[in-house]
Amino acid sequence: MSYTSTNILSNYAIISKVKNLIELLGYEKLKDDIKAPNLIASYFWYDHKNYKSFVGVELYIYREDGIIRVDTRSRAGRSYWDLEQQNKTIKYLRDFFSGSFSTDEGKNRYLPVNKIPPTKLESGLFISRWIYNNALIKPKIYLDSRNMKGQVAKPEPTGLEFIDQMNPKLFSNNLLIPYLVAIWEEYLKSSFIVLLKCTDNQDRILKNARLSVNNLKDISIGKISIEEAVVEGLSFQRPKIIAANFKVLDEKIDIYSVLNKPIKNRKVSLFDSIDRTIDLRNDFVHTGGMDISITDKKLRNIIIDFEVAVDRIYNRFGSYFRFNPSKDF
């Protein structure tokens, strides 16, 4: 589902001035790899600095028979500010160049922006969770669509290690472990950055931060923020260290307790099962060690472990900071 609009500009509208207005509204020009008929230029608006955009706003300028048309589009999952920017664009085009416009709501009717805008903290934590969700789709699709053939591509270990070490299914399952750990780590890093930017406890982290010369150079030229530089010096792989990091930021953000429970019908806590997966990742990455017991079923359970852990942490943030965690991915 998407929200769309079309502005038909008056005859006195000039392409160069239309482009100037669009760029003043914060849109960035895109490279047009595929030339659609009558398309003059493509633009995109996305506010990442203040955690305002979820999907951004697409904009296309067309000219046909001397008439300039500007289309905008925001995809499903758009934020309050994405829709606000879309309406603002429609209005400014109408104010500066006259003409008419239409949206999914009808002729000369703006798109409805009914929700109260979320806080910067709420929005930032949602974006981190959304990015993780999108990253996790890839290994799920891979497992569902993978088609490996050959006598050695057995779904289960044979018990003969030298044969199982050559099994492409078991090998590729091992290959996915570093990816799963990487997106887990990135989710926690990005969430930590949000809290560091949006809470009043920065001093507790900043006074112990160990910034390198390169960090300071990157901060000075605006390449990274102070919060991003601080996080580069922290680890977010093992649950014990993760819990400790968030506890330094705020003692009441209790990550340990939400991970120290097993998933239903399991005996091992998420804390321990994820820690074991980190061991698998390190062994594979640093020594090439392969765990031939990682069947598709076991790998799917590992994926579930991480996904449930992320949900529990996100829900904990919602509970502590008093917002309703959104699952509208």
Side-chain angles (χ1 to χ4, degrees):
M1 180 182 177
S2 62
Y3 278 179
T4 60
S5 76
T6 296
N7 281 75
I8 304 296
L9 308 186
S10 63
N11 291 332
Y12 66 78
I14 301 172
I15 284 291
S16 61
K17 292 184 177 180
V18 174
K19 289 182 176 180
N20 286 340
L21 174 62
I22 288 167
E23 289 169 8
L24 285 171
L25 287 171
Y27 288 85
E28 294 187 3
K29 196 173 187 301
L30 301 177
K31 182 180 178 181
D32 296 325
D33 293 324
I34 300 176
K35 286 289 185 181
N38 305 311
L39 178 65
I40 300 298
S42 303
Y43 290 84
F44 188 65
W45 178 87
Y46 189 90
D47 185 341
H48 60 88
K49 289 184 178 179
N50 297 304
Y51 303 119
K52 286 188 172 182
S53 286
F54 295 169
V55 297
V57 181
E58 302 168 27
L59 185 146
Y60 306 94
I61 304 174
Y62 297 88
R63 180 166 55 192
E64 185 175 6
D65 297 330
I67 302 298
I68 298 174
R69 185 181 95 232
V70 181
D71 292 350
T72 68
R73 176 178 178 268
S74 59
R75 296 183 286 109
R78 54 211 161 252
S79 71
Y80 172 96
W81 296 284
D82 289 330
L83 278 179
E84 189 179 62
Q85 171 71 9
Q86 197 170 3
N87 278 335
K88 180 180 177 181
T89 304
I90 296 166
K91 182 179 185 302
Y92 277 38
L93 286 168
R94 170 75 176 274
D95 290 348
F96 278 85
F97 301 108
S98 298
S100 63
F101 72 87
S102 61
T103 69
D104 295 326
E105 298 297 307
K107 186 174 181 180
N108 294 328
R109 294 175 64 88
Y110 292 98
L111 299 165
V113 185
N114 299 322
K115 293 182 179 180
I116 298 173
T119 64
K120 182 177 178 180
L121 183 146
E122 180 182 349
S123 180
L125 291 174
F126 171 73
I127 291 172
S128 295
R129 179 63 185 87
W130 187 354
I131 291 172
Y132 180 81
N133 180 75
N134 290 340
L136 200 60
I137 290 172
K138 298 173 185 176
K140 289 180 178 179
I141 293 176
Y142 172 75
L143 285 174
D144 289 339
S145 60
R146 181 180 60 180
N147 183 22
M148 294 184 177
K149 298 180 180 180
Q151 291 185 349
V152 74
K154 305 289 184 181
E156 300 285 340
T158 63
L160 298 174
E161 187 171 354
F162 71 95
I163 291 179
D164 294 332
Q165 289 279 349
M166 300 298 172
N167 187 330
K169 287 190 175 183
L170 299 180
F171 181 68
S172 67
N173 287 351
N174 276 260
L175 283 173
L176 283 177
I177 297 296
Y179 177 82
L180 294 172
V181 173
I183 62 174
W184 154 261
E185 187 175 14
E186 182 57 30
Y187 165 73
L188 292 158
K189 278 185 176 182
S190 61
S191 296
F192 193 90
I193 289 170
V194 172
L195 298 185
L196 196 54
K197 287 182 177 181
C198 300
T199 61
D200 298 326
N201 300 329
Q202 287 187 347
D203 290 351
R204 303 182 66 175
I205 296 292
L206 295 179
K207 68 181 181 180
N208 294 317
R210 297 180 179 179
L211 301 180
S212 67
V213 173
N214 288 333
N215 287 150
L216 295 174
K217 287 180 179 178
D218 288 340
I219 292 170
S220 69
I221 62 175
K223 185 177 180 180
I224 62 174
S225 66
I226 293 175
E227 294 85 1
E228 290 168 334
V230 169
V231 166
E232 286 300 313
L234 300 175
S235 174
F236 287 89
Q237 286 189 359
R238 294 192 182 274
K240 183 178 180 180
I241 298 174
I242 294 164
N245 287 340
F246 280 99
K247 198 170 184 64
V248 172
L249 183 61
D250 190 323
E251 291 181 357
K252 295 181 180 178
I253 303 179
D254 187 4
I255 301 299
Y256 182 89
S257 64
V258 299
L259 296 182
N260 200 34
K261 298 176 183 177
I263 297 177
K264 187 178 180 181
N265 299 325
R266 295 193 199 172
K267 295 181 179 180
V268 178
S269 70
L270 280 175
F271 201 95
D272 291 333
S273 62
I274 290 176
D275 209 49
R276 292 176 185 176
T277 302
I278 302 302
D279 288 335
L280 292 176
R281 177 263 179 201
N282 290 343
D283 191 31
F284 186 77
V285 169
H286 298 301
T287 70
M290 177 177 157
D291 187 339
I292 58 176
S293 72
I294 302 181
T295 60
D296 287 10
K297 181 179 179 180
K298 185 172 181 179
L299 184 61
R300 291 182 195 278
N301 284 335
I302 290 173
I303 291 173
I304 290 171
D305 285 348
F306 280 117
E307 191 166 21
V308 171
V310 166
D311 274 337
R312 287 185 183 179
I313 292 170
Y314 182 44
N315 290 338
R316 174 58 184 155
F317 292 150
S319 174
Y320 182 61
F321 293 106
R322 298 181 182 179
F323 68 85
N324 292 320
S326 174
K327 304 294 182 182
D328 188 17
F329 304 129

